[in-house]
Amino acid sequence: MEQEEAILALAALAQSTRLETFRLLVRHEPEGLPAGDIARALAIPHNTMSTHLNILARARLVSSERRSRLIVYRAEMPRLRELTLFLLKDCCGGNASLCAPLIEELEPCCAKEEVSR
């Protein structure tokens, strides 16, 4: 990921509704959510939600797919991975043991999901 792409993604997430939207979509991976359900869950008017979703889509953080009459949005997990790696690429000056606590904090959230399946 290039710096300009990271800035675009971070700018898209630097607004409370868009951040909440992205986190909601992450929780609903891999099936995604229809735009109307997202708007209702966050109590945001549909036209306002559409604007926020378009900003997230331009930053390539979400994608959409038409399913019959619905437009279903999904979090772009590969893009989140790219952004996270961009932020942590030079983590701790190459001293992996300094980054270990961060990695340990991320593991339990994923481990719970695997156990519940």
Short mmCIF file of all heavy atoms in Angstrom, two decimals, residues 15 17-18 21 35 39 43-55:
data_model
loop_
_atom_site.label_atom_id
_atom_site.label_comp_id
_atom_site.label_asym_id
_atom_site.label_seq_id
_atom_site.Cartn_x
_atom_site.Cartn_y
_atom_site.Cartn_z
N GLN A 15 -14.15 9.48 10.73
CA GLN A 15 -15.46 10.09 10.95
C GLN A 15 -16.30 9.03 11.65
O GLN A 15 -16.28 7.86 11.26
CB GLN A 15 -16.05 10.50 9.60
CG GLN A 15 -17.22 11.45 9.65
CD GLN A 15 -18.54 10.75 9.91
OE1 GLN A 15 -18.66 9.53 9.75
NE2 GLN A 15 -19.52 11.51 10.33
N THR A 17 -19.49 8.03 11.98
CA THR A 17 -20.46 7.18 11.30
C THR A 17 -19.76 6.17 10.39
O THR A 17 -20.13 5.00 10.35
CB THR A 17 -21.46 8.02 10.49
OG1 THR A 17 -22.15 8.89 11.39
CG2 THR A 17 -22.47 7.14 9.76
N ARG A 18 -18.76 6.63 9.66
CA ARG A 18 -18.05 5.72 8.76
C ARG A 18 -17.28 4.67 9.54
O ARG A 18 -17.23 3.50 9.15
CB ARG A 18 -17.16 6.50 7.81
CG ARG A 18 -17.97 7.28 6.80
CD ARG A 18 -17.14 7.83 5.69
NE ARG A 18 -16.17 8.82 6.09
CZ ARG A 18 -16.39 10.13 6.14
NH1 ARG A 18 -17.59 10.61 5.83
NH2 ARG A 18 -15.43 10.95 6.49
N THR A 21 -19.78 2.21 10.77
CA THR A 21 -20.25 1.42 9.62
C THR A 21 -19.24 0.33 9.28
O THR A 21 -19.61 -0.84 9.11
CB THR A 21 -20.47 2.33 8.40
OG1 THR A 21 -21.47 3.30 8.72
CG2 THR A 21 -20.90 1.52 7.18
N ALA A 35 -27.72 -2.15 2.55
CA ALA A 35 -27.55 -0.74 2.92
C ALA A 35 -28.63 -0.28 3.90
O ALA A 35 -28.34 0.43 4.87
CB ALA A 35 -27.56 0.12 1.66
N ALA A 39 -28.17 1.36 7.69
CA ALA A 39 -28.75 2.65 8.08
C ALA A 39 -29.63 2.51 9.32
O ALA A 39 -29.55 3.32 10.25
CB ALA A 39 -29.55 3.23 6.91
N ALA A 43 -29.07 4.09 12.94
CA ALA A 43 -30.04 5.19 13.03
C ALA A 43 -29.58 6.39 12.20
O ALA A 43 -29.56 7.53 12.67
CB ALA A 43 -30.29 5.57 14.48
N ILE A 44 -29.23 6.11 10.95
CA ILE A 44 -28.76 7.14 10.02
C ILE A 44 -29.74 7.19 8.84
O ILE A 44 -30.13 6.14 8.33
CB ILE A 44 -27.34 6.78 9.49
CG1 ILE A 44 -26.35 6.58 10.62
CG2 ILE A 44 -26.84 7.81 8.49
CD1 ILE A 44 -26.01 7.81 11.41
N PRO A 45 -30.14 8.38 8.40
CA PRO A 45 -31.02 8.44 7.22
C PRO A 45 -30.37 7.76 6.02
O PRO A 45 -29.14 7.80 5.85
CB PRO A 45 -31.17 9.95 6.98
CG PRO A 45 -30.83 10.60 8.29
CD PRO A 45 -29.83 9.69 8.95
N HIS A 46 -31.18 7.13 5.20
CA HIS A 46 -30.68 6.34 4.07
C HIS A 46 -29.80 7.16 3.12
O HIS A 46 -28.76 6.68 2.67
CB HIS A 46 -31.84 5.71 3.29
CG HIS A 46 -32.54 4.64 4.08
ND1 HIS A 46 -32.04 3.38 4.20
CD2 HIS A 46 -33.69 4.68 4.80
CE1 HIS A 46 -32.85 2.65 4.96
NE2 HIS A 46 -33.86 3.42 5.34
N ASN A 47 -30.20 8.39 2.80
CA ASN A 47 -29.40 9.18 1.87
C ASN A 47 -28.04 9.56 2.48
O ASN A 47 -27.02 9.58 1.78
CB ASN A 47 -30.16 10.42 1.39
CG ASN A 47 -30.55 11.35 2.52
OD1 ASN A 47 -30.63 10.95 3.67
ND2 ASN A 47 -30.82 12.59 2.17
N THR A 48 -28.01 9.82 3.77
CA THR A 48 -26.75 10.11 4.46
C THR A 48 -25.88 8.87 4.50
O THR A 48 -24.66 8.94 4.26
CB THR A 48 -27.02 10.62 5.89
OG1 THR A 48 -27.87 11.77 5.82
CG2 THR A 48 -25.74 10.97 6.61
N MET A 49 -26.50 7.73 4.76
CA MET A 49 -25.75 6.47 4.80
C MET A 49 -25.13 6.18 3.45
O MET A 49 -23.99 5.73 3.36
CB MET A 49 -26.69 5.32 5.20
CG MET A 49 -25.99 4.01 5.49
SD MET A 49 -25.20 4.04 7.11
CE MET A 49 -23.51 4.25 6.66
N SER A 50 -25.86 6.46 2.38
CA SER A 50 -25.36 6.24 1.03
C SER A 50 -24.08 7.05 0.79
O SER A 50 -23.11 6.55 0.21
CB SER A 50 -26.43 6.63 0.02
OG SER A 50 -25.93 6.50 -1.29
N THR A 51 -24.06 8.28 1.26
CA THR A 51 -22.87 9.12 1.11
C THR A 51 -21.69 8.52 1.86
O THR A 51 -20.57 8.44 1.32
CB THR A 51 -23.16 10.55 1.64
OG1 THR A 51 -24.24 11.11 0.88
CG2 THR A 51 -21.94 11.43 1.54
N HIS A 52 -21.92 8.07 3.08
CA HIS A 52 -20.85 7.47 3.88
C HIS A 52 -20.33 6.19 3.22
O HIS A 52 -19.12 5.95 3.16
CB HIS A 52 -21.32 7.18 5.31
CG HIS A 52 -21.51 8.41 6.12
ND1 HIS A 52 -20.50 9.31 6.38
CD2 HIS A 52 -22.59 8.89 6.77
CE1 HIS A 52 -20.95 10.30 7.14
NE2 HIS A 52 -22.23 10.06 7.38
N LEU A 53 -21.24 5.37 2.73
CA LEU A 53 -20.83 4.13 2.06
C LEU A 53 -20.02 4.42 0.79
O LEU A 53 -19.06 3.71 0.49
CB LEU A 53 -22.04 3.26 1.75
CG LEU A 53 -22.69 2.60 2.97
CD1 LEU A 53 -24.07 2.05 2.63
CD2 LEU A 53 -21.79 1.51 3.54
N ASN A 54 -20.39 5.46 0.07
CA ASN A 54 -19.63 5.84 -1.13
C ASN A 54 -18.21 6.28 -0.78
O ASN A 54 -17.27 5.96 -1.51
CB ASN A 54 -20.35 6.94 -1.90
CG ASN A 54 -21.53 6.41 -2.68
OD1 ASN A 54 -21.56 5.25 -3.08
ND2 ASN A 54 -22.54 7.26 -2.89
N ILE A 55 -18.06 7.00 0.30
CA ILE A 55 -16.72 7.42 0.74
C ILE A 55 -15.88 6.20 1.11
O ILE A 55 -14.71 6.09 0.73
CB ILE A 55 -16.82 8.43 1.90
CG1 ILE A 55 -17.41 9.74 1.38
CG2 ILE A 55 -15.45 8.66 2.55
CD1 ILE A 55 -17.82 10.73 2.46
#
